[in-house]
Amino acid sequence: MSDESTRFDRLPATPADSESDDRPTREGVLEYWSDRFGVDPVTFEGYTFWERGSGKIWAFADAFDLDSPVDIEGLGMSFLRTRREHWKPTTDAAQRFGRAADACVIDLSADEAAAFMAGHDQEIPWDGDWGYLIVTHELAGRTEPIGVGLYLHGELRSQIPKGRRREF
Amino acid sequence: MDVLSRYEPLVEDFAAFEAACERPLPSVVRVNTIKADADAARAALAESGVDAEPIAWHDGLFEIDGQPGANWPYAHGWLHGQEEVSVLPALALDPEPGDRVWDACAAPGSKTTQLAALMDDRGLVVATDNNLGRISALRSNTERLGATSVAVTHEDARNHSLKPFGGDPYDRALVDVPCSCEGTVRKNPSTLEDWTMEHVTGIAGVQKGVLERAIQATREAEPSSTRPVRSPPRRTRRYSTTSSTPPTPASSSSTSRWIAVPASPSGKASGTTTASNAQSGYTPTSTTRAGSSVRSWR
């Protein structure tokens, strides 16, 4: 076993189903993606959400409706961090589901995208909400999500994990 | 001893086999169809200034110049660096969307993620490995490639538990066992220096144990008379590799025999693992004799 908890608990459907006021719910996760990024909750039909440790939410294409809890090393993909006041999607979630977003999405030029992928913070104009944004660029004729940036005070801070950064 | 000489009785053109083992392995990427198709991946490689040559036998494989991981489509999880020959087992297993599949020795996840992609990321792929460091690589690959139908377990595959997944048996199992590794000689020429027959005979026992667990954990074919009317027929399929071990008195009466496949279907020389993995056609029932190669389905 790793140091990390290996217990996955399925999120309760709604606050009424939850034993704790602090615990995220499926309803809350869907509302967050819809309210913040305009992602239709239909996008997540067929997925169940699981918490591993405190506030680490995973998304799992749950074809067989697994019983909670599940004690294993991984269940789908890490998807969302809910421990702090402002929730934060993971890079993998932004890449996998970010194409369905139409709000809080910032599209970068080729040079800006390369700097973002390398982990650099950049001063970039942005008229929308501050906070976590889905960052995209053009690739092969598509608008493709790269990951998550934190926009504060005129600056887009790259949230690409260190191990995923690349200099192109 | 000359390790590869063991293959001489099995390989028709041994000189060609030896020459193939000395050719460096080309850098090949597989298109991850969970996130992109071959046309988009090729266009993205071209935009990134990477020369990509399609592999003739599979429209989702490209041979590229340089490292697979240093370009935009890789960063997006559109591509995965995978040896050409390593693409074959998942194709042979041929999973369908909605299947329950076990990848018994899964890290670092090339075949796991290929299975999930072949299933359109629908169903369940349970990826097992007994090494936490390698599981870290497995998780990293499944997440970068956006595979959401994969569950990762840390355990000895010989004692694999179905309990976390409701106890139901699998439709298919991929048993790509830890092996004697001489098949990796093209990417790691020093592998033959560490080779010992003691290791081969030792690992053969582990291989047999994993395969036996896979056979237990996959469903039996359902006779049509017992199948619910609305339930589609389910095929069970297992694919396994093993290392070549010398015949023992107990096993010498087996009808299994070896054929050599020194080149990939494209005609390009590829990893030599195929030579130790291929058997003459598909057999109707499973064989667990250590030292044989097994592909079976019902």
Side-chain angles (χ1 to χ4, degrees):
Chain A
M1 294 291 169
S2 59
D3 295 339
E4 217 172 349
S5 164
T6 54
R7 177 178 160 134
F8 289 83
D9 287 285
R10 189 165 166 171
L11 292 193
T14 67
D17 302 308
S18 181
E19 293 169 1
S20 159
D21 291 343
D22 298 334
R23 196 148 175 242
T25 63
R26 176 181 180 83
E27 184 179 82
V29 169
L30 297 182
E31 275 178 11
Y32 170 76
W33 279 85
S34 175
D35 293 351
R36 177 82 190 161
F37 301 113
V39 176
D40 189 329
V42 168
T43 307
F44 300 110
E45 277 184 7
Y47 290 92
T48 49
F49 299 113
W50 302 72
E51 188 172 20
R52 173 190 193 169
S54 176
K56 294 178 185 171
I57 310 301
W58 292 54
F60 176 55
D62 193 357
F64 297 101
D65 197 21
L66 298 190
D67 288 336
S68 179
V70 181
D71 187 13
I72 57 176
E73 286 291 327
L75 193 60
M77 65 159 56
S78 61
F79 176 73
L80 185 66
R81 301 280 184 269
T82 62
R83 192 166 182 177
R84 299 191 177 179
E85 181 186 353
H86 296 287
W87 290 7
K88 178 185 179 184
T90 63
T91 298
D92 297 311
Q95 287 196 354
R96 183 72 161 85
F97 301 104
R99 286 181 194 162
D102 62 9
C104 290
V105 177
I106 185 168
D107 194 47
L108 301 186
S109 70
D111 288 346
E112 290 167 343
F116 179 83
M117 192 68 212
H120 301 312
D121 302 337
Q122 304 175 75
E123 289 186 8
I124 295 176
W126 167 251
D127 293 333
D129 285 351
W130 289 12
Y132 292 115
L133 308 181
I134 289 175
V135 177
T136 64
H137 74 143
E138 293 295 314
L139 182 66
R142 305 178 182 200
T143 301
E144 189 68 7
I146 309 169
V148 174
L150 176 60
Y151 196 87
L152 292 171
H153 305 289
E155 185 180 62
L156 182 68
R157 301 178 185 175
S158 176
Q159 306 293 299
I160 297 290
K162 283 188 178 137
R164 294 279 290 277
R165 293 176 188 171
R166 292 286 183 281
E167 301 271 358
F168 293 141
Chain B
M1 70 177 282
D2 177 2
V3 174
L4 294 178
S5 66
R6 299 194 312 127
Y7 289 90
E8 197 158 3
L10 311 173
V11 178
E12 199 169 287
D13 185 347
F14 188 67
F17 173 75
E18 282 189 307
C21 290
E22 289 177 6
R23 282 196 287 275
L25 208 55
S27 187
V28 172
V29 290
R30 172 175 58 81
V31 176
N32 173 33
T33 53
I34 294 173
K35 286 189 163 181
D37 58 32
D39 289 342
R42 191 174 191 188
L45 282 165
E47 277 182 26
S48 300
V50 178
D51 285 336
E53 192 65 35
I55 302 275
W57 65 274
H58 188 298
D59 66 7
L61 294 178
F62 295 96
E63 183 176 337
I64 64 168
D65 282 336
Q67 292 296 314
N71 56 67
W72 270 116
Y74 180 92
H76 282 288
W78 292 12
L79 299 175
H80 182 65
Q82 186 168 350
E83 284 178 46
E84 193 179 343
V85 71
S86 149
V87 172
L88 292 170
L91 295 178
L93 197 69
D94 194 24
E96 296 171 8
D99 276 349
R100 300 172 80 102
V101 178
W102 185 35
D103 188 351
C105 309
S110 297
K111 299 180 192 74
T112 305
T113 50
Q114 186 188 357
L115 292 168
L118 288 168
M119 293 160 61
D120 296 333
D121 205 21
R122 289 185 285 132
L124 174 65
V125 180
V126 175
T128 294
D129 209 276
N130 67 352
N131 181 313
L132 268 180
R134 286 167 57 81
I135 279 178
S136 175
L138 166 64
R139 274 181 43 189
S140 167
N141 281 324
T142 57
E143 295 190 56
R144 182 180 58 83
L145 297 172
T148 57
S149 59
V150 175
V152 178
T153 73
H154 175 219
E155 59 193 331
D156 185 326
R158 291 172 290 186
N159 304 317
H160 175 57
S161 171
L162 296 173
K163 193 178 164 196
F165 313 105
D168 289 336
Y170 295 107
D171 301 303
R172 293 156 204 261
L174 180 65
V175 186
D176 190 26
V177 283
C179 74
S180 44
C181 288
E182 59 260 39
T184 66
V185 66
R186 293 184 62 196
K187 64 179 175 187
N188 183 17
S190 67
T191 192
L192 300 183
E193 295 166 14
D194 302 327
W195 188 96
T196 64
M197 183 52 83
E198 288 72 24
H199 176 69
V200 173
T201 52
I203 206 78
V206 176
Q207 297 176 346
K208 181 178 177 182
V210 177
L211 182 54
E212 284 177 342
R213 180 67 191 115
I215 291 167
Q216 291 167 353
T218 40
R219 73 172 71 243
E220 295 299 321
E222 295 173 358
S224 56
S225 59
T226 62
R227 202 168 59 232
V229 175
R230 285 182 302 155
S231 171
R234 300 207 70 91
R235 294 178 300 160
T236 299
R237 186 173 290 195
R238 307 175 186 113
Y239 176 97
S240 178
T241 60
T242 63
S243 295
S244 174
T245 53
T248 62
S251 64
S252 59
S253 62
S254 166
T255 56
S256 294
R257 73 180 184 85
W258 293 84
I259 60 166
V261 187
S264 68
S266 69
K268 294 181 179 181
S270 191
T272 58
T273 48
T274 320
S276 62
N277 295 345
Q279 195 181 2
S280 53
Y282 300 121
T283 55
T285 55
S286 297
T287 311
T288 58
R289 180 175 65 86
S292 72
S293 171
V294 180
R295 280 179 184 176
S296 71
W297 56 72
R298 276 175 275 186

